[in-house]
Amino acid sequence: MKNILILTDFSGCSKNATQYAIDFLKNEACCFYIMYVHKSGSFTIDDLMSSATANVYDSVLKAEKDRLQKFMDTLKQSSQNDKHEFHSILDYDTFIQATYRIIEEKKIDLVVAGYNGVSNMEEIVFGSHTLSIIRSINCNTLIVPEHTKYIHPKTLLLLLDAKDDIQSEAFTSILNTVKEHAIEMHIVRVYEKPVTAPRYDESYLMKHCKDINYKYCVIQNVPLAYVKSCYVQLHEIDMIGLIVQKESVFERLFKHSSTTAISKTLKKPLFVTHP
């Protein structure tokens, strides 16, 4: 059974990501942990004073606890999938620390979060927090852009830079996902500068990708963001795959971008792995 951590703030964006994950994993036995993180710094003096004769945790977080339980009840009623079970988690640590701790405690296989491109609204989790998860949390992650409705993904575009090694656990994670869901994989190795000896991966792919449909190409002297933008316009792509490392593909796609530019760039679900 897979353990899935879904991050929510009860917004439409997060609820959409939750439903996308449930549909995407409908044929797999999964234990879904739905987690809401109350911002610890938002506790007020009034909160604490009103809790003088009660448990601080129960008093301060009662509204969120009730809201989370209502969300859980809705999911259980609508799921009707014997392969899925649901559990709620309410935390009041910092967002990244809470996420990291649950990944360790529950042995999480996949983190799921929505993304709406907003990073300056206090009550919206899925702006800067989602980007922080991608950069900081070493766990497979599925990012679902706002308003993206589930259709079974038929194609996944995997963008590789010169540093990305296909003989790695990160590549294997993506390979396993496309196998499980019968997805065709488009693998594009991008060199943003001309190289005299480009890295060709055909022999490894021919040996390890016999069970999937894939296409492979190498592109040189073109910025990565341009490759991604052009490729998804020329091909029917349903999902993007990235191997995220320091100063990686992800950084060059999104670094220094405004939230508007990021939201315009990320229109497809993003499956992220780490080396």
Side-chain angles (χ1 to χ4, degrees):
M1 176 175 283
K2 288 186 176 180
N3 294 321
I4 313 299
L5 175 61
I6 299 181
L7 305 172
T8 187
D9 65 348
F10 309 116
S11 66
C13 179
S14 65
K15 290 179 180 178
N16 180 65
T18 301
Q19 189 59 54
Y20 188 99
I22 292 172
D23 292 338
F24 183 60
L25 299 166
K26 62 184 177 183
N27 296 321
E28 301 181 53
C30 297
C31 180
F32 290 96
Y33 293 94
I34 315 298
M35 183 170 76
Y36 173 78
V37 180
H38 183 99
K39 186 177 179 181
S40 58
S42 64
F43 290 160
T44 66
I45 294 298
D46 289 341
D47 290 330
L48 299 177
M49 290 181 66
S50 67
S51 306
T53 59
N55 182 281
V56 173
Y57 178 88
D58 289 338
S59 179
V60 174
L61 302 182
K62 186 179 186 304
E64 285 86 352
K65 188 175 182 179
D66 293 343
R67 202 173 181 187
L68 183 57
Q69 186 58 53
K70 184 177 180 180
F71 184 38
M72 289 290 298
D73 292 341
T74 301
L75 289 178
K76 291 176 182 178
Q77 291 173 6
S78 63
S79 175
Q80 301 296 317
N81 190 333
D82 294 338
K83 295 182 179 180
H84 292 173
E85 59 181 72
F86 298 88
H87 303 276
S88 62
I89 299 174
L90 182 61
D91 209 322
Y92 54 93
D93 203 342
T94 62
F95 187 82
I96 293 299
Q97 288 178 341
T99 303
Y100 180 78
R101 184 174 63 256
I102 295 303
I103 288 173
E104 293 294 310
E105 289 180 0
K106 304 299 184 182
K107 301 186 184 304
I108 297 297
D109 299 296
L110 178 69
V111 176
V112 178
Y115 186 71
N116 58 11
V118 179
S119 62
N120 61 350
M121 296 176 65
E122 184 176 0
E123 296 302 321
I124 301 297
V125 169
F126 302 100
S128 60
H129 282 329
T130 298
L131 303 185
S132 296
I133 289 171
I134 294 172
R135 294 187 179 103
S136 306
I137 300 297
N138 187 14
C139 184
N140 291 346
T141 304
L142 177 63
I143 306 300
V144 182
E146 190 175 22
H147 307 309
T148 300
K149 299 305 178 184
Y150 178 78
I151 58 170
H152 175 71
K154 296 179 180 179
T155 54
L156 179 144
L157 169 61
L158 175 60
L159 295 165
L160 303 172
D161 69 0
K163 296 179 181 179
D164 292 327
D165 185 3
I166 64 171
Q167 300 184 48
S168 64
E169 291 185 7
F171 179 81
T172 300
S173 292
I174 295 176
L175 190 60
N176 290 338
T177 298
V178 299
K179 284 182 179 180
E180 291 170 355
H181 297 274
I183 300 172
E184 180 183 21
M185 183 161 58
H186 294 228
I187 306 168
V188 181
R189 174 77 73 177
V190 181
Y191 295 94
E192 295 191 344
K193 297 179 181 179
V195 293
T196 55
R199 179 189 213 159
Y200 291 97
D201 309 295
E202 284 95 331
S203 59
Y204 184 87
L205 294 174
M206 290 177 63
K207 181 178 180 181
H208 294 86
C209 296
K210 295 178 180 179
D211 299 332
I212 68 167
N213 292 323
Y214 73 90
K215 297 178 180 179
Y216 176 80
C217 66
V218 175
I219 298 177
Q220 297 188 50
N221 203 29
V222 181
L224 192 77
Y226 290 178
V227 173
K228 180 261 182 187
S229 178
C230 291
Y231 201 94
V232 297
Q233 292 182 57
L234 296 172
H235 301 80
E236 292 291 335
I237 299 298
D238 300 316
M239 185 175 287
I240 307 294
L242 292 179
I243 298 174
V244 174
Q245 52 189 316
K246 189 175 181 180
E247 295 302 322
S248 66
V249 169
F250 177 81
E251 293 295 326
R252 280 192 291 282
L253 277 177
F254 296 134
K255 193 174 183 180
H256 306 309
S257 297
S258 67
T259 55
T260 300
I262 293 173
S263 64
K264 286 182 179 179
T265 301
L266 187 58
K267 293 298 184 181
K268 305 289 184 180
L270 179 66
F271 186 84
V272 174
T273 64
H274 298 76

